[in-house]
């Protein structure tokens, strides 16, 4: 869940329970709606997770839906999501469905590239950088614990005309 620069987590360590008026659960319940409201304003999602003793459990309830077709699976998942939403004490219900992605197939004329003196690997690397981005350097800042990647990537254009 945290494998992209716009995703992350914040851990809040509370003072000892003898030094506060509310339990950690009461604090989590109080901050959850406020944080969700902020996230929704920016198109984001927030999960307030109370880490139990032992290994962290990010999704205490996880349902995987199986079925013969994508349509059947999605319909069952939507119904299950509503059941979870209507159940007391279940919060932050999400549905993860595979997203449809546009696919491009690029065919490189190796002999033509060779005649032009362009290495096949250079073409592949340039295309991968253009489409997926590539860190070219890192920004080091006292405000950031980790270096911040400086990435180059082509801007998406509304319509592209290709010629040979």
């Amino acid at each position: 869940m945290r494998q992209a620069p716009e995703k992350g987590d914040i851990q809040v360590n509370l003072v000892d329970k003898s030094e506060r008026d509310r339990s950690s659960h009461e604090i989590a319940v109080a901050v959850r709606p406020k944080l969700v409201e902020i996230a929704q304003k920016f198109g984001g999602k927030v999960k307030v997770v109370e880490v139990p003793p032992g290994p962290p459990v990010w999704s205490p309830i996880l349902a995987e839906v199986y079925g013969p077709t994508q349509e059947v699976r999605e319909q069952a998942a939507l119904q299950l999501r509503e059941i979870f939403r209507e159940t007391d004490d279940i919060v932050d219900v999400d549905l993860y469905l595979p997203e449809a992605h546009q696919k491009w197939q690029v065919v490189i004329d190796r002999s033509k590239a060779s005649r032009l003196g362009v290495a096949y690997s250079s073409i592949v690397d340039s295309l991968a950088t253009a489409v997926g981005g590539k860190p070219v350097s890192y920004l080091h800042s006292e405000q950031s614990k980790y270096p911040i990647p400086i990435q180059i990537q082509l801007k998406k254009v509304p319509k592209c005309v290709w010629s040979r």
Side-chain angles (χ1 to χ4, degrees):
M1 297 297 287
R2 297 177 301 257
Q3 296 181 356
E6 74 277 4
K7 297 179 181 180
D9 60 55
I10 298 172
Q11 180 173 329
V12 176
N13 295 318
L14 302 174
V15 296
D16 188 75
K17 54 185 161 189
S18 64
E19 298 180 43
R20 50 188 153 92
D21 297 331
R22 297 185 292 173
S23 70
S24 58
H25 180 71
E26 290 170 327
I27 294 169
V29 168
V31 301
R32 179 179 280 113
K34 294 171 186 172
L35 293 174
V36 168
E37 181 183 336
I38 293 168
Q40 287 176 341
K41 195 182 300 184
F42 296 98
K45 292 183 180 181
V46 168
K47 302 286 180 243
V48 177
V49 178
E50 299 172 62
V51 181
V57 179
W58 300 120
S59 293
I61 300 173
L62 173 68
E64 293 185 29
V65 178
Y66 298 90
T69 67
Q70 182 67 24
E71 185 177 300
V72 168
R73 289 188 298 271
E74 286 182 17
Q75 187 60 40
L78 290 169
Q79 291 172 349
L80 188 57
R81 180 180 64 181
E82 289 313 307
I83 292 169
F84 282 164
R85 283 183 172 166
E86 294 168 3
T87 303
D88 290 339
D89 298 323
I90 294 181
V91 295
D92 299 333
V93 177
D94 265 331
L95 181 61
Y96 297 99
L97 296 173
E99 296 179 23
H101 295 284
Q102 180 181 19
K103 292 184 181 181
W104 293 357
Q105 182 173 0
V106 177
V107 179
I108 301 168
D109 185 335
R110 290 179 184 229
S111 61
K112 191 173 188 179
S114 178
R115 285 193 306 273
L116 295 170
V118 181
Y120 176 78
S121 61
S122 295
I123 297 170
V124 170
D125 186 52
S126 295
L127 286 170
T129 299
V131 174
K134 176 181 182 179
V136 292
S137 187
Y138 292 89
L139 175 67
H140 300 276
S141 167
E142 291 180 12
Q143 287 80 31
S144 178
K145 182 176 179 180
Y146 302 104
I148 302 162
I150 300 169
Q151 185 161 315
I152 59 171
Q153 185 172 354
L154 282 180
K155 181 178 173 183
K156 185 176 178 179
V157 291
K159 186 175 182 180
C160 201
V161 178
W162 298 91
S163 62
R164 293 185 183 245

